[in-house]
Amino acid sequence: MTNPKTDFKKHITVIFEPTVACNLRCRHCYQAKTEYDVHKMPLETLDAFIEKCAPHFCHVEIIWHGGEPLLMGHTFYLEAYERFRGASQRFGTEFGFSVQTNGTLLDEEYLKIFLGSQTPVSISYDGPYNDFLRQETGKTDAAIALLKEREVDFSCLSVISSVSVNHLIELYEYFKEKEISVKINPVYIDGAASLHREIAITKEEWAEKFIELFDYWFHDEDCNIYFQSCEIALRRALGKGNVTCLGICMFSYLAIDAYGNLYPCGRMMNEEFKLGNIHDLEDDIREVFLSPNYLDLLKKNEERAEGCAKCKWFSKCHSGCNAAAFVEGDLEKPSEFDCYFNRQIFAHIEEVLRSVDQSKINPFAKAILERN
Amino acid sequence: MLQENVEKLKGIMENYQKKLGNNDDGNGEFIFGRGGEYSDHSRYCPDINTLNDQSKD
């Protein structure tokens, strides 16, 4: 007899966008195309999701995203976590949570909710360059101070733009000095960023500066923070770990909006990728993987992979991210930006590992190498 | 969902993974490449407090 929790995939990650409304208007925000619709997810939609998802997976990872997810208010999360706890007992499903927020609405009550539910907090924050893309830096600084004061498990996500790309090492040192773990991502030209081309960086700039930063990080014996961007690059270069945006999201990753519509990814919430609505599904969220739009995406992904199959680095990137390819206009070809970057960084790390001086190495890099 | 559809889905997925040389076994070792989402570093990194304590010794 088959087990409904293990007969397909055991694990699924779901980007939960309970609203795309936001109290900020950042210059790079890809959600600008939604016009920050103020609709909020009713609890009935959350209930439908739980009933149709929890019975079919051992582990469900929920990422609260938006818009600004804290605009939902405390009551929504109190009710939501109560429901997830109930589902965990009923279905034996394990739930994991995290939240991506600009931090401006973070208060004691939210901290209590997130601490009580073991929900790590990720703050969208660009350090000394925060004002360039974002707004209300003072409020975000206050949120970070509060998180540190309460010793909450948190990290930051920094978006790299034209103003910061030449200062990546300084940015890394900034977060080290504050003992805040961080991940950096290049700005992608989508949504509001399409109207602010001056914030863009080239693929050459990103690769060159990231490689400089990687070398600095790799030999930094005093590293005291998780620096996920370099950790991921090193792990992937070693062929370790599965990275969603390096081509393995299919069948393991979904996004849901405030109306209950399901999509393959939080960055692909367009009509052409709509997979169905949670309220319309019979009893099993996995039905969306057989929807025409999902099968079409799969076909294009496979075509992209076929074109990349002979590349030396194919086993490390699996032809890359669907959303990045889509933003550049053709799902059947890899994102030129990402492809260039991946080729440069993987080749560089291969070289670094051949010539590495093992006596002076970042403790996190060392741990990754030792576990290889 | 009907069991035959689960089997169909499994077949489609396995065929896809084969084409991609994808080694994801669905067991949850899963980290995020871009989205900014927090990921559980304990899956592959030593505990940060332990490391920081050692560096102070």
Side-chain angles (χ1 to χ4, degrees), chain A residues 19 26 95 144 146 185 208 219 233 235 274 360:
Chain A
T19 183
C26 299
F95 291 95
I144 289 171
L146 183 64
N185 290 332
E208 182 193 337
H219 295 291
R235 290 196 84 225
K274 194 155 95 180
K360 192 180 177 204

Side-chain angles (χ1 to χ4, degrees), chain B:
Chain B
M1 185 159 67
L2 293 172
Q3 188 58 35
E4 65 184 71
N5 279 348
V6 175
E7 293 303 322
K8 185 179 168 189
L9 188 53
K10 205 172 167 186
I12 293 171
M13 182 187 73
E14 284 171 356
N15 185 44
Y16 167 77
Q17 289 190 331
K18 203 171 163 187
K19 279 188 185 170
L20 259 71
N22 179 350
N23 60 358
D24 173 33
D25 61 4
N27 282 331
E29 197 212 5
F30 212 60
I31 50 178
F32 302 100
R34 178 183 301 131
E37 303 81 10
Y38 190 94
S39 78
D40 180 4
H41 289 78
S42 64
R43 290 174 189 153
Y44 63 91
C45 266
D47 178 67
I48 196 164
N49 295 316
T50 309
L51 273 180
N52 286 340
D53 286 347
Q54 283 170 353
S55 67
K56 285 174 197 158
D57 290 342

Side-chain angles (χ1 to χ4, degrees), chain A residues 180-197:
Chain A
I180 298 173
S181 294
V182 63
K183 179 161 79 170
I184 60 171
N185 290 332
V187 65
Y188 281 87
I189 302 306
D190 190 17
S194 308
L195 305 172
H196 298 111
R197 293 278 171 168

Side-chain angles (χ1 to χ4, degrees), chain A residues 126-129 158 160 163-178 182 184 209 212-213 216 225 227:
Chain A
D126 303 338
Y129 309 102
S158 284
I160 303 304
V163 79
S164 52
V165 69
N166 291 319
H167 306 284
L168 298 189
I169 291 172
E170 291 100 308
L171 190 68
Y172 168 68
E173 284 292 342
Y174 174 88
F175 282 101
K176 263 180 69 187
E177 198 252 320
K178 294 189 176 298
V182 63
I184 60 171
K209 296 301 172 184
E212 280 178 22
L213 173 64
Y216 186 86
I225 58 172
F227 192 59

